[in-house]
Amino acid sequence: QVRLRESGGGLVQAGGSLRLSCAASGSIFSTNRMGWHRRGPGKERELVAMITSGGSANYADSVKDRFTISRDNAKNTVYLQMNSLKPDDTAVYYCYFQNWPYRSDYWGQGTQVTVSS
């Protein structure tokens, strides 16, 4: 079992920045990946960004050049730096984690990000 503890989120004006953090604990393999999904009001859940334990990252097209995902493997923590936020970024952001071979998902409780225009 893996437990995820999220922090960050909140209310920010358009153009502002926020940083999300997610710390994993429990049964963590050396090869894993962590990331963030989000679900906006009336929208489907979508992948925002993901990063492997080796440091390989990918992003949704909608957040490229604005969001940066990073991680501290020693702390089993992933970060999402969100810059130039837009009202369309308003969503509940969920941290997720997968151990190799990436068959089981673990999810955080979600943190609300609200971007006002």
Side-chain angles (χ1 to χ4, degrees):
Q1 280 285 6
V2 175
R3 293 169 295 280
L4 301 174
R5 187 177 74 251
E6 299 159 337
S7 60
L11 173 64
V12 65
Q13 289 187 330
S17 299
L18 284 173
R19 188 193 196 209
L20 305 182
S21 300
C22 175
S25 61
S27 181
I28 296 171
F29 299 174
S30 57
T31 301
N32 60 70
R33 60 188 183 188
M34 301 180 72
W36 298 88
H37 283 73
R38 68 185 180 186
R39 187 190 297 273
K43 298 180 182 178
E44 298 286 324
R45 188 180 68 191
E46 64 172 345
L47 173 68
V48 176
M50 181 272 289
I51 186 167
T52 68
S53 49
S56 177
N58 58 53
Y59 298 87
D61 287 342
S62 59
V63 307
K64 280 180 182 176
D65 301 324
R66 298 189 299 122
F67 291 9
T68 302
I69 191 168
S70 62
R71 62 184 292 164
D72 183 336
N73 286 338
K75 296 180 180 180
N76 295 314
T77 299
V78 64
Y79 306 95
L80 185 68
Q81 179 65 42
M82 305 184 291
N83 298 329
S84 302
L85 283 161
K86 305 175 181 178
D88 276 352
D89 295 317
T90 295
V92 178
Y93 285 69
Y94 297 92
C95 177
Y96 84 100
F97 178 95
Q98 291 179 307
N99 278 316
W100 176 263
Y102 306 149
R103 289 180 185 153
S104 296
D105 298 337
Y106 298 93
W107 294 89
Q109 78 281 4
T111 185
Q112 178 71 46
V113 171
T114 302
V115 184
S116 62
S117 57

